[in-house]
């Protein structure tokens, strides 16, 4: 694959925001290829976090797909968070809180930053290190 594509999506917050973000990413099907399921899952998690934790009324999603990797960054006007507490599994019996654990398991790299606005990003390599992505997702369910 020699194609490079980018998508910038600005959407309103609310409970339908993750589905709208996934639907927009479908326009990159030819460049996402077999990473589509992982990208959809992680986009949903990050957009959901913006809606739930930042109470964002607007969110921006930037997707860059090239021959080596897919990079996604989700921006919102929220306060961000301390990365030192990143990706901890929630307490036993908790109904939620697995979003960043899933991102940690599926993405090859991820992080958060706060400039004018908060953002969380992830990258998935096309030729991943020797690990089984499918078992990583199953392990956190």
């Amino acid at each position: 694959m020699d194609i490079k594509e980018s998508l910038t999506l600005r959407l309103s917050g609310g409970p339908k925001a993750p589905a709208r973000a996934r639907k927009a990413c479908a326009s990159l099907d030819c460049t996402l290829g077999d990473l589509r399921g992982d990208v959809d899952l992680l986009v949903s998690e990050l957009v959901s976090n913006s809606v739930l934790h930042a109470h964002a009324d607007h969110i921006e999603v930037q997707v860059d797909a090239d021959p080596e990797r897919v990079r996604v960054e989700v921006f919102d006007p929220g306060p961000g968070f301390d990365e030192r507490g990143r990706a901890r599994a929630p307490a036993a019996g908790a109904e939620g809180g697995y979003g960043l654990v899933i991102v940690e398991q599926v993405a090859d790299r991820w992080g958060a930053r706060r400039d004018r606005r908060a953002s969380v990003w992830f990258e998935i390599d096309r030729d991943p290190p020797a690990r089984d992505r499918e078992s990583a997702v199953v392990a956190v369910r």
Side-chain angles (χ1 to χ4, degrees):
M1 180 191 100
D2 294 333
I3 299 172
K4 181 174 181 172
E5 286 190 302
S6 293
L7 170 72
T8 300
L9 172 65
R10 289 175 184 86
L11 61 144
S12 58
K16 294 183 181 179
R20 289 193 311 269
R22 285 190 309 274
K23 185 174 181 179
C25 287
S27 68
L28 299 177
D29 267 351
C30 66
T31 52
L32 293 180
D34 61 347
L35 298 180
R36 170 72 193 270
D38 289 345
V39 170
D40 278 354
L41 173 65
L42 300 187
V43 164
S44 291
E45 292 299 336
L46 296 187
V47 171
S48 293
N49 281 352
S50 288
V51 171
L52 293 172
H53 302 295
H55 307 289
D57 59 353
H58 62 281
I59 299 160
E60 182 177 314
V61 180
Q62 174 69 45
V63 183
D64 295 301
D66 64 40
E68 296 177 10
R69 74 186 55 81
V70 174
R71 178 183 169 86
V72 175
E73 191 160 9
V74 176
F75 301 89
D76 65 54
F81 65 95
D82 183 357
E83 274 191 88
R84 291 173 292 190
R86 55 193 270 166
R88 289 190 202 145
E95 291 186 23
Y98 288 95
L100 293 179
V101 174
I102 293 169
V103 173
E104 178 83 23
Q105 293 292 314
V106 177
D108 291 300
R109 288 165 299 286
W110 77 277
R113 61 191 173 105
R114 173 81 185 154
D115 294 325
R116 306 181 328 255
R117 54 195 176 159
S119 73
V120 180
W121 59 270
F122 68 84
E123 293 180 349
I124 301 175
D125 294 333
R126 296 214 182 263
D127 294 318
R131 70 175 178 164
D132 181 7
R133 288 189 185 283
E134 190 172 330
S135 66
V137 175
V138 172
V140 296
R141 286 189 180 158

